[in-house]
Amino acid sequence: MSDISTKYLSLELENPVLIASSPLTSDIKGLVRCQDAGAGAVVLKSIFEEQIESQVEGEVLANEQYLAHSDAASYFEAVSKDYYVNRYLDLLRQAKKELSIPVIASINCTNLSTWVDYIHVFEEAGADALELNYYPIAADADTDGRTVDRRAVEFATRVRQAATKPVSIKIGYKYSSLANIIRSMDLAGVDGLVLFNRFFRPDIDIESMTLSQAANPLSSSHEYAESLRWIGLMSGEVKCDLCASTGIHSGDTVIKMLLAGAAAVQVCTAAMKDISVVGRMCDDLRSWMDRHGLDDVASFRGRLAQENMSQGGLWERTQYIKRLLGE
Ligand SMILES: Cc1cc2nc3c(=O)[nH]c(=O)nc-3n(C[C@H](O)[C@H](O)[C@H](O)COP(=O)(O)O)c2cc1C
């Protein structure tokens, strides 16, 4: 039988299907379910600095009458923050104790110094690797695109220097030159890039006239195209591992991502709907490899990456493909 093991972020994985950072990976019961379903690794639900800040702020306000002394307020604030971070660390330690598959911690911060602090504590708590959920919103009209890009690359350089374990950065695709950002982050030395996150978007509830979260945070099965294209375009150009994320709902899509050059894939929506999809994806991958006489993942990974194709330009010119197909 074909061997579907792979290497991602220097970690040996039994298969390339990871469970993405999501509600499935937010407690130990969910994490054990992911492993039992056959996941190659898990990415813990992100710890969000902003969420901790706002929770702590709420608690400080609720306890205002007991915190009249300013030192008491800052002491309370520090203890509360530690409480939330420790809860995450407990989950990480428990996961490392109970799971045999690699456990990747996921971090989302607003301040660079907090990113670095969290990297250190999560490494100490035993994370096999770190995934940094990088999500700056370029909403300041005074900041030009060059500055946004420079900050992203500075971020990659700084976190790579700070970490001793493998580091991946999970990004969105809205950069003016995505190819340049991907290559610059690679040159900064990151071990992996996750292409791409699918960010929640705000909406408006017209009855309460308040902001709400966009109705459906879940992806559909044809949303994989953007990840596929950029993995196809960039996998031959970068040294770091590319991991596909968004719209991966079937074994066929896993195979496409590997052919384009992904080292692994992450699944969220499809696994939230039915965790047994992970086993089916692995079975489909194995039987496709058997059918094509492929012994291991290395023998075909990246076969259709732009660099390895005589007609690699097709990754860019989809209009041209349409003409060829006579549409
Ligand atoms: C309910 C929900 C919660 C999520 N939470 C996180 C998170 O904490 N950190 C993160 O990096 N991505 C998070 N994501 C994004 C997923 O990890 C994934 O990148 C995205 O859903 C696209 O993959 P999919 O098409 O398989 O759903 C979340 C997604 C959903 C639906």
Side-chain angles (χ1 to χ4, degrees), residues 20-23 45-46 48 106 131 133 170 196-198 200 217-219 245-249 266-270 272:
S21 179
S22 65
K45 177 101 180 80
S46 302
F48 287 92
S106 169
E131 182 175 289
N133 175 3
K170 185 177 186 183
F196 297 104
N197 205 341
R198 185 178 185 277
F200 293 169
L218 302 181
S219 68
S245 163
T246 293
I248 299 162
H249 288 224
Q266 294 191 6
V267 180
C268 168
T269 294
M272 280 176 71

